[in-house]
Amino acid sequence: MESRAKEAVKTFESGYTCAQSVFVTYADLFGMDRETALKLSSPMGGGIGRMREVCGAVSSMALLAGLKEGNTDPENEDGKEQIYLLTRKLAEKFKEKHGTIICRELLGIEGMEESARPSKRTADYYAARPCSRLVETASEIIEEMLL
């Protein structure tokens, strides 16, 4: 399969959140339509609701892992463990490259944003933030570990 990493970055740079950009780029491979993928991943952007917690690109890796290997049986402790292990491996790979999976640490800011309103997407916005690289990294990890 040809890499979709550049497509994910282009999606991000067209105005979608980091989470949406990663998730929608691969969701079709797991049987999910574009609109559902965009809706499902939309609250994960900005470190979950712009709270600057877990990076949205990392959250989307976990969601895609769930689509591929997720457990549906509440009695299946091995299944629960396996999806948690896979999610940890994805996050660890991301952390190896960027030092953390926490949005505010990746952005170099303190605490949660005061406002839930996203920043205007301008050339300066994209130039000042590492998010395009983070989206690309998450995409590369997905392609290496989930596809």
Side-chain angles (χ1 to χ4, degrees):
M1 183 187 111
E2 188 173 317
S3 176
R4 295 184 179 190
K6 299 286 186 230
E7 179 185 336
V9 171
K10 185 177 175 185
T11 301
F12 175 72
E13 291 177 354
S14 74
Y16 289 98
T17 70
C18 53
Q20 288 176 306
S21 301
V22 171
F23 192 73
V24 78
T25 298
Y26 299 97
D28 67 302
L29 299 174
F30 301 98
M32 186 175 288
D33 66 274
R34 181 175 175 81
E35 184 177 355
T36 302
L38 288 169
K39 286 180 178 181
L40 179 65
S41 57
S42 65
M44 307 311 285
I48 306 174
R50 206 163 185 259
M51 292 186 291
R52 304 301 184 200
E53 298 294 338
V54 174
C55 170
V58 174
S59 294
S60 285
M61 290 193 305
L63 290 171
L64 290 163
L67 287 176
K68 181 175 184 187
E69 304 284 338
N71 176 52
T72 59
D73 179 356
E75 304 294 322
N76 183 354
E77 298 301 321
D78 290 337
K80 291 176 188 178
E81 180 183 26
Q82 289 307 307
I83 193 60
Y84 293 159
L85 285 171
L86 177 56
T87 301
R88 287 177 175 202
K89 287 177 185 174
L90 293 165
E92 190 56 40
K93 200 92 154 136
F94 188 93
K95 197 184 294 188
E96 285 172 13
K97 195 137 189 175
H98 297 288
T100 185
I101 63 168
I102 303 301
C103 177
R104 69 179 158 275
E105 294 171 3
L106 291 161
L107 295 179
I109 61 175
E110 295 289 322
M112 186 171 89
E113 299 281 353
E114 289 293 318
S115 172
R117 180 169 289 284
S119 302
K120 276 281 189 211
R121 299 294 184 91
T122 64
D124 289 340
Y125 171 93
Y126 292 113
R129 291 175 178 257
C131 303
S132 293
R133 283 193 324 274
L134 304 176
V135 165
E136 186 171 28
T137 295
S139 298
E140 290 166 352
I141 293 168
I142 288 162
E143 291 176 9
E144 176 187 335
M145 297 182 68
L146 296 181
L147 305 184

